[in-house]
Amino acid sequence: MKKLSLIIVIVLGLLVTSCDSYLDINKNPNSPAEENMTTDILFPGAEMNLASTYGDFFRITGGYFAQYYSHAFGTSNYLDYSRFTMSATRSSSDYTQLTQRALKNLTTARQLAEQEEEWGTYLACTTLRAFIYQALVDAYGEVPYTEALDAANPTPKYDQGADIYAGIIAEIDAALEKVSDGQRVATNFLLPGANSTAWIKLANAVKLKILTRESGVADVTSQIAALVSQNNFPTSDVAWEGCWSNESGALSPFYAEEFSTAWGSTQINCVANVAIIGTMLQKSSDGDVLYEDGRLAAFFEKNGSGEYTGGISGSNFSTSNSYKSTYWCRPVASYDMPVYLITLSEIEFFIAEYYAKAGNAAQAKAHYEAAIEASFATAGVSGAAEAIAQFPYDQSNYKKCIGISKWISLAGVNTFEGWCEARRLDYPAFGSVQGSQMYNEQDDASYKPELYVPGTFYTPIKVDDKLGANKLLERWIYPESSTARNSNSPAFPGYSTPVFWGK
């Protein structure tokens, strides 16, 4: 994996071109001299640590675990992900990047902001800190929180996911109480030039996501109702965009990892999965197109023959003579592709779910359709009306229609969130067809993508035996970088044990 392990390369490349007035390029923003330590130095480095990890490793793994991606011919880099497996070593460096770099710098910047009563910056640091902890809980279930980030304590306890969620909601609420509209926020790439007014909206959106994700196991209805009633959310997608450039060290993370030759590799790993292709492009038994989603071309490239094709999870077609790299569709990617923190479509889906649970079918339908329209706007294509007609809102089965439509919407935007929401909503559900029925690795002629049932998951051809058939990977095993020397590390509960909000 061509890991962006030295985030300073990205940060310096960006800061030299965009913000050279406030950073000496000979100093590492992850370890500035004490006398130069300011929120304007710490915050950009911390957010780039987050963007590089969330936009690369989390996107790749989410892509496989949510069956957006399958594995290309002849390589094995991510074949374990394709088989719904995560080892203790695979996420270790990224866990360290988020905890020992992003979280530490955000925590220090937040302390400085509090000392200087920079409440706009304080809220921004708190919002990204909460976002990271939520992502860690969503991936691992339990991580150090109350005793974390203390160099004097090498054995922090692992907090329960529900307790961490409660803690970060309390942090956001406390920060919102301190801030007011129009206050300055430290230099950053996520909302450049914006003051606290924009960050208040973002904090509300992150809070909405946290509350909705735990709403199935905790009574948070009144808190969600208050947010929805206030309706003070971003009115456009929030992403790191406009900050990447076409040079080594400054490329958008997923593109740098999977598409750029700057790292000396031309290996192809991630290709489209039959699940997402077969849902977005539905054909009759005669091969006639019944439905083609307008976002398909924005999410995936056509193959070398000008067609959309999807591989099968659990195989890399390594014995194949027919299915070489040019046969498969690849994700659409570019050097300047955004890294989305949260989209307008996601916010609308969360609001639709709130109204659905409240029994307000009219409002649920309106926000459901608004979510799909926002997804098409993000993709920059037309066809929302056709998608709404293909996947109409159904109050009696709101989890299914929201789950499937949200899964589609996140395919080219934020695959990690697609995996999370599929685990929470239980949609897409597993269909009756197994991966082994659609392809036999010993026989090229056995490739039968037409057997796939649109809007479903399927068991990979080979799947982790600790997980079994008709199950998504529910969590990552605790990272070795956290557990190796920590006597307080808990026993891993198993790949099929949901994180707290999925129980």
Side-chain angles (χ1 to χ4, degrees):
M1 193 173 181
K2 300 171 290 185
K3 192 65 213 145
L4 300 179
S5 58
L6 297 178
I7 189 60
I8 182 58
V9 174
I10 292 180
V11 175
L12 294 185
L14 294 172
L15 298 184
V16 165
T17 59
S18 305
C19 306
D20 55 1
S21 62
Y22 70 85
L23 181 65
D24 181 344
I25 64 170
N26 294 313
K27 292 184 181 294
N28 184 337
N30 287 305
S31 183
E34 184 175 352
E35 65 273 16
N36 294 328
M37 190 179 295
T38 67
T39 57
D40 286 320
I41 290 176
L42 289 168
F43 193 80
E47 63 169 332
M48 284 294 103
N49 286 134
L50 168 57
S52 71
T53 298
Y54 192 69
D56 179 14
F57 184 76
F58 278 62
R59 182 179 182 122
I60 289 171
T61 54
Y64 284 102
F65 297 151
Q67 292 192 329
Y68 297 128
Y69 303 155
S70 63
H71 211 64
F73 166 81
T75 69
S76 59
N77 275 12
Y78 308 135
L79 191 55
D80 51 346
Y81 303 153
S82 184
R83 294 172 177 172
F84 292 175
T85 296
M86 171 66 78
S87 73
T89 57
R90 287 290 246 168
S91 68
S92 284
S93 62
D94 295 273
Y95 177 86
T96 298
Q97 175 113 299
L98 288 179
T99 56
Q100 299 304 308
R101 294 178 183 142
L103 279 175
K104 276 196 171 182
N105 279 352
L106 285 172
T107 301
T108 301
R110 193 169 73 145
Q111 291 169 346
L112 289 173
E114 185 174 27
Q115 292 172 13
E116 299 298 323
E117 297 186 354
E118 297 177 14
W119 300 125
T121 300
Y122 185 87
L123 175 65
C125 293
T126 300
T127 301
L128 293 193
R129 177 181 151 91
F131 184 89
I132 293 172
Y133 270 117
Q134 179 185 14
L136 292 174
V137 170
D138 295 347
Y140 297 105
E142 304 80 33
V143 293
Y145 171 64
T146 55
E147 295 181 1
L149 311 179
D150 182 359
N153 181 9
T155 59
K157 72 172 184 177
Y158 278 55
D159 294 277
Q160 294 298 308
D163 295 332
I164 299 172
Y165 261 48
I168 57 180
I169 285 292
E171 288 185 22
I172 293 174
D173 285 343
L176 287 170
E177 288 179 1
K178 294 176 184 295
V179 74
S180 58
D181 285 328
Q183 293 181 308
R184 179 188 180 274
V185 175
T187 304
N188 66 89
F189 300 112
L190 186 60
L191 294 171
N195 59 34
S196 60
T197 302
W199 281 91
I200 290 170
K201 295 178 185 292
L202 177 56
N204 286 334
V206 171
K207 183 178 176 181
L208 176 66
K209 185 175 78 163
I210 295 169
L211 292 171
T212 303
R213 199 153 282 172
E214 67 177 335
S215 62
V217 295
D219 184 7
V220 293
T221 304
S222 61
Q223 293 170 269
I224 297 176
L227 282 172
V228 173
S229 177
Q230 185 183 17
N231 194 30
N232 189 24
F233 301 116
T235 55
S236 60
D237 300 336
V238 179
W240 285 280
E241 58 182 333
C243 56
W244 314 109
S245 61
N246 194 16
E247 55 186 275
S248 179
L251 304 165
S252 187
F254 179 64
Y255 180 85
E257 184 75 51
E258 286 300 302
F259 293 84
S260 173
T261 59
W263 302 89
S265 174
T266 58
Q267 184 167 289
I268 295 174
N269 297 297
C270 298
V271 299
N273 197 298
V274 69
I276 192 62
I277 296 297
T279 299
M280 299 185 78
L281 179 60
Q282 300 180 26
K283 298 180 179 181
S284 69
S285 58
D286 297 326
D288 296 328
V289 175
L290 302 176
Y291 170 72
E292 182 171 347
D293 194 298
R295 293 165 292 184
L296 183 57
F299 291 171
F300 295 96
E301 299 173 348
K302 290 183 178 180
N303 69 5
S305 300
E307 299 177 341
Y308 288 109
T309 52
I312 315 296
S313 293
S315 172
N316 66 352
F317 289 74
S318 58
T319 63
S320 171
N321 293 315
S322 303
Y323 307 121
K324 304 297 185 182
S325 59
T326 56
Y327 184 82
W328 305 112
C329 300
R330 298 211 72 196
V332 169
S334 63
Y335 74 85
D336 59 349
M337 64 187 293
V339 175
Y340 291 95
L341 187 139
I342 195 165
T343 62
L344 183 58
S345 177
E346 290 174 84
I347 295 169
E348 290 290 346
F349 274 126
F350 288 134
I351 297 173
E353 184 178 339
Y354 161 75
Y355 280 118
K357 290 176 178 176
N360 190 333
Q363 284 286 1
K365 179 176 183 291
H367 285 280
Y368 171 81
E369 293 179 354
I372 295 174
E373 290 167 353
S375 172
F376 274 81
T378 296
V381 298
S382 60
E386 289 80 1
I388 291 169
Q390 183 70 23
F391 303 99
Y393 181 73
D394 179 4
Q395 174 65 20
S396 65
N397 206 356
Y398 71 86
K399 280 191 176 182
K400 181 177 181 180
C401 59
I402 290 177
I404 293 174
S405 287
K406 183 180 286 190
W407 174 68
I408 296 169
S409 297
L410 289 165
V413 177
N414 196 325
T415 60
F416 177 78
E417 297 300 324
W419 173 56
C420 292
E421 289 297 273
R423 288 181 289 152
R424 183 178 69 87
L425 293 168
D426 296 323
Y427 286 100
F430 278 82
S432 58
V433 177
Q434 304 276 316
S436 56
Q437 293 174 271
M438 291 186 282
Y439 181 65
N440 179 336
E441 291 184 299
Q442 307 307 315
D443 179 11
D444 282 358
S446 70
Y447 175 58
K448 297 179 179 178
E450 65 273 12
L451 295 179
Y452 170 75
V453 178
T456 65
F457 288 136
Y458 62 90
T459 302
I461 294 175
K462 295 177 182 176
V463 69
D464 192 289
D465 59 5
K466 301 180 185 67
L467 186 62
N470 295 329
K471 293 180 180 178
L472 285 181
L473 182 78
E474 292 286 350
R475 59 165 68 216
W476 300 353
I477 191 171
Y478 304 128
E480 187 178 51
S481 57
S482 177
T483 63
R485 293 175 295 278
N486 188 348
S487 57
N488 284 322
S489 301
F492 179 54
Y495 293 119
S496 62
T497 301
V499 300
F500 85 97
W501 46 251
K503 295 178 180 177

